[in-house]
Amino acid sequence: MMKAVGLVVEYNPFHNGHLFHLQQSKYVSGCDAVVAVMSGHFLQRGEPALIDKWTRAEMALAGGCDLVIELPVAYATSSAEWFAHGAVALLEATGVIDAICFGTESGQLAPLASAAKLAASNSTSLKQLLQEQLNLGASYPRAYSNALTQLLTQATDWQQNAIALDQPNHTLGLHYMVALERLNSSIKPYTIAREQAQYHDPMPNHHAIASATAIRKMLLEAQNQNLESISAYVPRTTLDLLERTLIKEARQPMHWERFTAQLFYQLSVMPPAALSAYREMEEGLEHRFTQYAKQVSRYSVEELLSAVKTKRYTRTKLQRALLAVLLQHHKQQFTREQLTQGIQYIRVLGFTEKGQQLLKDMKKKAKLPVIHSPAQLLGSSDYLQLDVAATSCYMQLFEAKNPKLQLADYHKPPIRL
Amino acid sequence: MMKAVGLVVEYNPFHNGHLFHLQQSKYVSGCDAVVAVMSGHFLQRGEPALIDKWTRAEMALAGGCDLVIELPVAYATSSAEWFAHGAVALLEATGVIDAICFGTESGQLAPLASAAKLAASNSTSLKQLLQEQLNLGASYPRAYSNALTQLLTQATDWQQNAIALDQPNHTLGLHYMVALERLNSSIKPYTIAREQAQYHDPMPNHHAIASATAIRKMLLEAQNQNLESISAYVPRTTLDLLERTLIKEARQPMHWERFTAQLFYQLSVMPPAALSAYREMEEGLEHRFTQYAKQVSRYSVEELLSAVKTKRYTRTKLQRALLAVLLQHHKQQFTREQLTQGIQYIRVLGFTEKGQQLLKDMKKKAKLPVIHSPAQLLGSSDYLQLDVAATSCYMQLFEAKNPKLQLADYHKPPIRL
């Protein structure tokens, strides 16, 4: 019987650090297959993906994943709590996952496990402490970590094991653990220390490993789509796929500035009251965005973000708010109840032969419909409609010469490798 | 005491035909001052104006108007009935207008007067007959004219005076007359035959007079913004102002294709159910637009309009629906009640010395606040907010290098000539 480990990924793009994590995950969990839950065209930090999800799924398969399923955009662009919930609920729903393995700054699972148990069972007191912290003006991640630490120091011998809960991968790891708790999942968690490259490092600092941020920066700055600068940091397979997409197919890597027209259009036409209906647009942020969208020196998302930024809001938070404006994600579609019940389909983006075995297995064990195209289910899931809209919005710019690719979600079969 | 005639205009751009109409209007009405109610940045046929409203107001003043006030976008982009209502209600509200003079195909006022009386007093039966005609598949203008003709032949000796009510200027003229009836206005109507150039004629067919459509076509097709092709058809003052805007200030004339990114973005991200909340988006049009926006061979508003066009819908109707999508005009903002009560301010775009006298007179006689900037009134009028948003949307493209011009409605004082 095949054993499968689940990874939660963005692969933007798939690089040597991802390859290393993938191999380590199989090793520590003793699994022989890898299932990746991958975000589609828009990502957790509130940004568009560099290249389309099918090409990224192909990178994942070429790099050692056996099955790639898509994290619906409703979760892929959520803050850590719901991002983690969506990903873990999807893995759980496949019915074939034995383990989950994620990278953290410390590589320690025990403190995350005790923090998660506490967070999952004390959500009311946690919410209260969190609100107090927010009222003091802390950013959300900092406030959450402070609140949880308060709870932990009251309740356990936390001090001895203490890890910095507000580090980005500890935050995500904690929420994977909380989700496993809440779903009462039998999936066994593992963590691996991310030593090679810090999440946000803009510059490569290791021989063969650079952060995805650094790699994207090199790609966006490369003259004439020259891929040489990144060749040391990505597997050959990734390099080939980037070459195919960016050079042979002559597509431009996506980034926020390519949505400038659409975004500033929205910010100029919509009154603040209408903007505030979008997710993450709260506490007066809508007024700040409306105001600064008309005070920038030129139409630039970067300049807008800098103008709106305050200590209170992380850049990620602001980008997520802009993404909600771009994708027209209304708060009313993302209530706690809807998010709790929103994982309703398993969308396959690609698979290997081994992945095909897993898919066969899933025919018996999966708790949700497994689909290859939204056509199989559309109309019955609002979140699926959001996925289709996100692809449509993305492809309009990624492939401006072919409007029919707006419907790629319907026409593109899963990648088989 | 000064006598003033009101004109309802778009001046897109101001040309010799407009000049001729203006002079004739003063002559037939015996007035010595001209007040123009002019549309702002978006027009009745569902199109953006070629150049900004301040430059067009300046053309109007240079061409002989004494006061230019803005028709709010809610009316300026409405079908004939509400367009006419808004314009006439504004003229009425100034308290200083003695006459209104409009061009028609026939130049006959009597049949319009009797048709208007009947239409104003029989709105229930008219609505019923109109619906019958629409159910038979007629376009709206044709259906309206058929229904009204039915009513007329039943009730009066219409046959003898019959004019073709579905000709565009008869339609507008009729609705000016209906509005005068409904408002119980003392403004005296006049009409002048429009002989020189048919409204839609794409080619100039008279020595010094060409339709605005023909002039726009020449301007948009001109190489290097060369204005020579139109010089025979516009006053010297218009030519100078076009030269200033298009050559010295290096702005591009506006047309639908410049909104392609914004429009297709809206059509791809919004589900049909959300699109159908926009004005004019009815009877399944939202599905046609959603579908064809993804089937065009390239992102082009022109191609989209051709694809969606059927016998039932005039091109104007489709363009107005697209404009409602672009400007995010929701049906719920345009109920009959809201439109009836929506004229709440008189926004001055420009005036001459004689116009200043009229403005002084209006201080005593006007029935609504006379404003020079939306700042004087914003918050108390939803339609004023739509005007500001329309300018913001327009200026984003008309002057892409200066984001602050999105707020031109606040910063630009009225033109004084």
Side-chain angles (χ1 to χ4, degrees), chain B residues 131-143:
Chain B
Q131 193 53 56
E132 283 171 24
Q133 287 290 326
L134 287 172
N135 292 345
L136 291 172
S139 70
Y140 192 93
R142 167 73 62 181

Side-chain angles (χ1 to χ4, degrees), chain A residues 32-168:
Chain A
D32 33 23
V34 177
V35 175
V37 178
M38 192 181 81
S39 303
H41 291 126
F42 295 93
L43 307 179
Q44 213 248 330
R45 284 167 71 192
E47 293 174 333
L50 195 74
I51 50 175
D52 68 278
K53 63 188 179 187
W54 293 280
T55 307
R56 279 162 42 242
E58 199 168 342
M59 285 176 188
L61 298 172
C65 292
D66 298 296
L67 174 60
V68 182
I69 58 183
E70 181 175 353
L71 182 61
V73 69
Y75 301 91
T77 61
S78 278
S79 58
E81 179 182 2
W82 291 110
F83 175 86
H85 168 85
V88 171
L90 257 186
L91 289 173
E92 175 69 23
T94 63
V96 299
I97 305 293
D98 302 278
I100 181 173
C101 185
F102 46 86
T104 49
E105 289 81 0
S106 66
Q108 292 182 57
L109 198 67
L112 290 178
S114 58
K117 244 194 182 75
L118 198 74
S121 59
N122 288 275
S123 58
T124 318
S125 3
L126 184 59
K127 218 181 272 176
Q128 212 170 345
L129 290 168
L130 174 63
Q131 193 53 55
E132 283 171 24
Q133 288 290 325
L134 287 172
N135 292 346
L136 291 173
S139 71
Y140 192 93
R142 167 73 62 180
Y144 189 92
S145 132
N146 286 357
L148 190 53
T149 306
Q150 271 183 270
L151 209 60
L152 284 163
T153 44
Q154 285 163 21
T156 64
D157 55 348
W158 174 250
Q159 295 302 339
Q160 286 176 314
N161 304 311
I163 55 171
L165 285 176
D166 63 342
Q167 288 178 300

Side-chain angles (χ1 to χ4, degrees), chain B residues 47-208:
Chain B
E47 291 173 336
L50 196 73
I51 50 175
D52 68 279
K53 62 188 180 188
W54 292 280
T55 307
R56 281 163 39 243
E58 199 168 343
M59 285 176 188
L61 298 172
C65 292
D66 298 296
L67 173 62
V68 182
I69 57 182
E70 180 174 353
L71 183 62
V73 68
Y75 301 91
T77 61
S78 279
S79 59
E81 181 182 1
W82 291 110
F83 175 86
H85 168 84
V88 171
L90 257 186
L91 289 173
E92 175 67 23
T94 62
V96 299
I97 305 292
D98 302 278
I100 180 172
C101 184
F102 46 86
T104 49
E105 290 80 359
S106 66
Q108 293 183 58
L109 197 68
L112 290 178
S114 58
K117 248 199 179 70
L118 200 74
S121 60
N122 289 274
S123 59
T124 318
S125 3
L126 184 59
K127 218 183 270 177
Q128 210 171 345
L129 290 168
L130 175 62
Q131 193 53 56
E132 283 171 24
Q133 287 290 326
L134 287 172
N135 292 345
L136 291 172
S139 70
Y140 192 93
R142 167 73 62 181
Y144 188 93
S145 130
N146 286 355
L148 188 54
T149 306
Q150 270 182 273
L151 209 60
L152 284 163
T153 45
Q154 285 163 21
T156 64
D157 55 347
W158 173 252
Q159 293 304 339
Q160 286 175 313
N161 304 312
I163 56 172
L165 286 176
D166 62 342
Q167 287 177 301
N169 287 286
H170 279 147
T171 302
L172 277 171
L174 172 72
H175 285 294
Y176 296 137
M177 301 291 283
V178 171
L180 289 170
E181 282 284 334
R182 287 202 185 131
L183 293 165
N184 201 16
S185 172
S186 62
I187 296 175
K188 192 166 156 41
Y190 296 88
T191 186
I192 298 171
R194 294 172 53 110
E195 290 173 58
Q196 271 66 20
Q198 289 294 308
Y199 194 47
H200 295 304
D201 276 353
M203 291 301 295
N205 55 12
H206 185 276
H207 183 54

Side-chain angles (χ1 to χ4, degrees), chain B residues 218-227:
Chain B
M218 289 185 266
L219 268 176
L220 291 172
E221 287 171 1
Q223 297 295 315
N224 307 317
Q225 313 279 33
N226 185 333
L227 301 178

